[in-house]
Amino acid sequence: KPSTPTLTLFQSRNAYDGGYYTRALSYLQPLSEAPLQMPPEELTFLYYLYGRIFHTQGKLSIAYDNYLKCIAQPDIPSSRWQQSYSSYYIGEIARNQENRELARQYYKKALTYTDYFYQSSLENQCKVALGKL
């Protein structure tokens, strides 16, 4: 059975996917008060969700910081997709801010991850983005 924090992370993800960003953040708040007590895979997911929510809301510096925290977590196969997508989204933020070198760096970083969900789709997106730079 999934742990309580894992269930809470999925509740937040479902709220985010439904466009309920305030609700999604409210689910994460209790978890973020004691992040060091969470296993790495839950912490990776926490930072990824914060990144996605704030990115969608246009709070790019907060999203960027959370994506970096996600990427900095240990390499765990079940969390690799969150780290690869965080790299891609940092590339997107950098590209939109016309920082081509940083965008290139993070698109390439996203391509270094292997064996995760939706890998071929993300790799195609990165390759297309790199081709446009």
Side-chain angles (χ1 to χ4, degrees):
K1 179 177 176 179
S3 69
T4 299
T6 296
L7 291 173
T8 301
L9 290 163
F10 279 106
Q11 286 177 308
S12 177
R13 176 64 189 260
N14 288 337
Y16 167 77
D17 287 346
Y20 300 100
Y21 309 130
T22 302
R23 184 179 302 162
L25 287 171
S26 73
Y27 286 124
L28 298 180
Q29 183 59 39
L31 297 177
S32 65
E33 292 172 3
L36 298 179
Q37 297 174 3
M38 297 172 68
E41 57 272 5
E42 290 176 349
L43 196 53
T44 303
F45 199 9
L46 175 72
Y47 292 135
Y48 175 76
L49 286 173
Y50 269 130
R52 292 302 299 133
I53 295 164
F54 288 122
H55 193 169
T56 302
Q57 292 180 325
K59 298 175 182 176
L60 301 182
S61 65
I62 300 170
Y64 182 91
D65 290 344
N66 279 282
Y67 289 143
L68 286 177
K69 289 176 185 177
C70 177
I71 293 166
Q73 296 306 304
D75 180 18
I76 298 170
S78 63
S79 301
R80 205 169 285 150
W81 72 270
Q82 295 150 356
Q83 293 171 312
S84 58
Y85 273 85
S86 289
S87 297
Y88 171 75
Y89 289 127
I90 288 176
E92 288 290 278
I93 290 170
R95 183 183 56 81
N96 288 325
Q97 294 175 342
E98 298 181 11
N99 187 338
R100 294 167 52 108
E101 286 308 310
L102 186 64
R104 184 175 285 111
Q105 175 187 342
Y106 277 94
Y107 290 140
K108 286 182 178 181
K109 181 168 181 58
L111 291 171
T112 66
Y113 294 94
T114 60
D115 196 28
Y116 60 90
F117 297 121
Y118 313 114
Q119 181 176 343
S120 62
S121 174
L122 182 62
E123 286 178 349
N124 288 335
Q125 291 178 61
C126 289
K127 290 174 184 176
V128 167
L130 283 165
K132 291 181 179 179
L133 288 178

